[in-house]
Amino acid sequence: MASIFSRIIAGEIPGKFVYRDELVSAFWDISPRRKVHILIVPNKEIPTVSDVTPDDELMLGRMFTAARKIAEDLGIADSGYRLIINCKEDGGQEVYHIHMHLLGGERVGPFAPRHSDLKPKGE
Ligand code: AMP
């Protein structure tokens, strides 16, 4: 079955698009974690970073040039932003169609607690 992102890209489910080309599409996250929260998604459905191949390198590079353009278009290129790609369970991935989160428009905050500050499970 097609991923939810493939269905958005195909127009079957609504998406608020900010960018599209022949390799990647980008739209607003439905549940934004910062003032600006965009998802940059390859048009081709690849489940995780563990599934990319050298044939995908053009598309993977395009995700970054799209991020740069979107940040400029949304006026956050100078203030800065964070790009995040989650991979599988430990990475916190929920949708198994590769996507890059672009977060900004305000301070994004610490990217992860220090490992030494994590409480052992059960505490
Ligand atoms: P991840 O945890 O990295 O897999 O992120 C999945 C992201 O997809 C989350 O931030 C969700 O809010 C977002 N999301 C899920 N469904 C939709 C949707 N229909 N439209 C836009 N964003 C979505």
Side-chain angles (χ1 to χ4, degrees):
M1 207 184 85
S3 77
I4 190 154
F5 292 163
S6 287
R7 297 183 63 202
I8 291 171
I9 290 165
E12 295 167 15
I13 294 178
K16 235 174 107 188
F17 285 88
V18 292
Y19 180 88
R20 301 189 83 137
D21 67 25
E22 78 285 10
L23 292 174
V24 306
S25 300
F27 44 87
W28 280 85
D29 194 291
I30 201 166
S31 177
R33 288 168 191 262
R34 290 295 179 275
K35 214 176 267 180
V36 172
H37 188 174
I38 304 295
L39 301 173
I40 301 165
V41 186
N43 297 336
K44 174 182 161 193
E45 192 168 324
I46 301 169
T48 78
V49 171
S50 298
D51 301 301
V52 298
T53 71
D55 285 348
D56 299 318
E57 285 171 2
L58 183 62
M59 176 277 290
L60 293 165
R62 188 68 63 82
M63 290 172 78
F64 280 89
T65 49
R68 177 196 163 166
K69 181 173 188 319
I70 294 161
E72 285 170 1
D73 290 349
L74 297 181
I76 61 168
D78 289 343
S79 50
Y81 48 91
R82 183 168 300 155
L83 301 173
I84 299 171
I85 300 178
N86 297 322
C87 182
K88 296 186 181 172
E89 204 174 339
D90 279 358
Q93 186 174 3
E94 288 170 7
V95 176
Y96 277 63
H97 180 158
I98 291 180
H99 50 283
M100 179 187 269
H101 298 257
L102 188 163
L103 295 161
E106 60 189 336
R107 287 293 166 99
V108 178
F111 76 95
R114 290 184 196 287
H115 184 256
S116 55
D117 291 340
L118 290 177
K119 287 202 174 109
K121 277 189 183 140
E123 263 187 35

